[in-house]
């Protein structure tokens, strides 16, 4: 399906689409090192506060209280290639990735209900992601068609995003006869997004490089949201368990400050403000686990989005975004596998997860390497599927434990940029930081991006 000019005229920036999926439709999945070492797969196992990230019924599996804190060290690298050149960006950051605990209340009523457990979990992840794309000397733009000396070639581009996404969850889980578990949770989200979209052109005569910011960028979003979840876990036999979870959409309130530019009556810029309401997809997860004995367990989770992202409509911008998602968004699909093997007090863990591409194939007008405009279809435009491989190790000191894990996450996608138009009614062009020049283009440039994330986690826990 072709992307209409009207949509991008209203959406203003490809980053709006990317952040809608990557930030506001994506729950933080940074749990304890044990959870992360098993690729976040514990929906039918449970037993600790990280269960609130997948299935709150897992709180009911715990038979004692515990508390833990997790240090995360996250590394993010983007390699962006176009026209035979490549630019790399990498950043490593340390932070508190997770903290949580369970208080267990044994029931002495003589009934089959054994425990009621209360849990709290805080999950935090960095949103920092910079995509620096090289230029293409064959893409030429005349800043002033009457003056040949203003011809310039595409030198570089960058989408820069900085911020954090956190999830604070509170839940309760109950244990019925050590064979059936039920739980519910409330989740409160906070996000900060500082986003820019900057273009650079190089004058063909003077070789001077001029930077341009896209209309209505940089922008700064401060957002909050909430959701609820309900889950069950049942033992089919001594060795097999199944689980199911339903998580409501996250209802977001998004406040944005942005910079806008103008040339009349004199060139300048100013700040604007807007507020939006956004509803993320409803999600359902089914899980199954095989527990061979106290030394080995295996779990599989499958999550499916049941609805599509949706903005409350205040005007043409939200209507166009919703129309795009209705036509081109593929419901979330994620598979997670995790296993743990115990050798006395030593714990060995591993996991794998796969997240499907969020968009159908899209056709756009783009500049090729020779600088010629033509249509091309992409199956991985803006975002693509993601693969995660994880390993973990831990040691149980009875009252205390320590766990460590490593994750490698990879994804490859095509990154469109540079398109922006300027008419009497629509302005999504790029404005110079140092002159009155404006860059407007009906077509995109597209770079190929390889994203690799290497994450390390260290958890210290206490049982009581």
């Amino acid at each position: 399906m072709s992307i209409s000019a009207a949509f991008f005229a209203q959406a203003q920036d490809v980053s709006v689409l990317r952040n809608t999926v990557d930030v506001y439709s994506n729950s933080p999945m940074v749990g304890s090192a044990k959870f992360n070492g098993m690729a976040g797969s514990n929906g039918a196992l449970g037993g600790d506060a990280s269960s609130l990230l997948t299935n709150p019924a897992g709180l009911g599996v715990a038979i004692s209280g515990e508390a833990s804190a997790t240090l995360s060290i996250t590394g993010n690298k983007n390699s962006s290639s176009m026209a035979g050149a490549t630019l790399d960006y990498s950043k490593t950051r340390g932070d508190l990735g997770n903290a949580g605990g369970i208080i267990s209340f044994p029931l002495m009523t003589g009934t089959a209900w054994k425990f009621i457990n209360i849990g709290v979990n805080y999950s935090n992840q960095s949103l920092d992601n910079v995509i620096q794309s090289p230029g293409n000397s064959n893409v030429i733009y005349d800043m002033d068609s009457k003056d040949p000396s203003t011809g310039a070639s595409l030198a570089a581009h960058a989408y820069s995003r900085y911020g954090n996404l956190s999830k604070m969850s509170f839940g309760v889980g109950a244990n019925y006869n050590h064979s059936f578990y039920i739980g519910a949770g409330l989740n409160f989200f906070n996000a900060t997004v500082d986003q820019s979209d900057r273009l650079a052109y190089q004058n063909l005569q003077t070789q001077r490089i001029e930077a341009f910011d896209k209309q209505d960028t940089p922008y700064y979003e401060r957002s909050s949201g909430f959701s609820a979840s309900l889950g069950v876990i049942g033992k089919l036999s001594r060795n097999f368990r199944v689980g199911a979870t339903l998580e409501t959409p996250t209802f977001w309130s998004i406040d944005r400050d942005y910079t806008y530019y103008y040339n009349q009556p004199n060139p300048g810029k100013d700040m604007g403000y807007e507020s939006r309401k956004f509803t993320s997809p409803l999600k359902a997860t089914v899980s199954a686990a095989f527990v061979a004995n106290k030394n080995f367990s295996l779990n599989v989770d499958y999550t499916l989005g049941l609805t599509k992202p949706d903005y409350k409509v205040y005007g043409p911008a939200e209507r166009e975004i919703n129309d795009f998602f209705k036509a081109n968004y593929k419901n979330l699909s994620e598979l997670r596998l995790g296993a743990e093997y115990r050798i006395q007090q030593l714990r060995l863990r591993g996991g794998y997860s796969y997240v499907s591409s969020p968009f159908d194939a899209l056709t756009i007008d783009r500049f090729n390497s020779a600088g010629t405009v033509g249509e091309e279809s992409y199956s991985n435009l803006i975002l693509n599927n993601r693969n995660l491989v994880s390993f973990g190790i831990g040691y149980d000191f009875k009252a205390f434990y320590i766990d460590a894990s490593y994750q490698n996450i990879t994804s490859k996608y095509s990154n469109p940029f540079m398109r922006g138009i300027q008419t009497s009614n629509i302005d999504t062009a790029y404005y110079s930081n140092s002159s009155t020049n404006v860059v407007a283009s009906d077509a995109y440039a597209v770079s190929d991006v390889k994203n690799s994330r290497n994450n390390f986690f260290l958890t210290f826990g206490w049982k009581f």
Side-chain angles (χ1 to χ4, degrees), residues 265 326 330 348:
K326 288 177 183 177
K330 294 191 296 186
L348 301 176

Side-chain angles (χ1 to χ4, degrees), residues 1-24:
M1 177 176 291
S2 296
I3 302 177
S4 70
F7 169 73
F8 279 101
Q10 299 292 348
Q12 304 160 357
D13 196 329
V14 170
S15 64
V16 171
L17 299 181
R18 181 176 286 120
N19 293 344
T20 296
V21 176
D22 203 27
V23 177
Y24 297 115

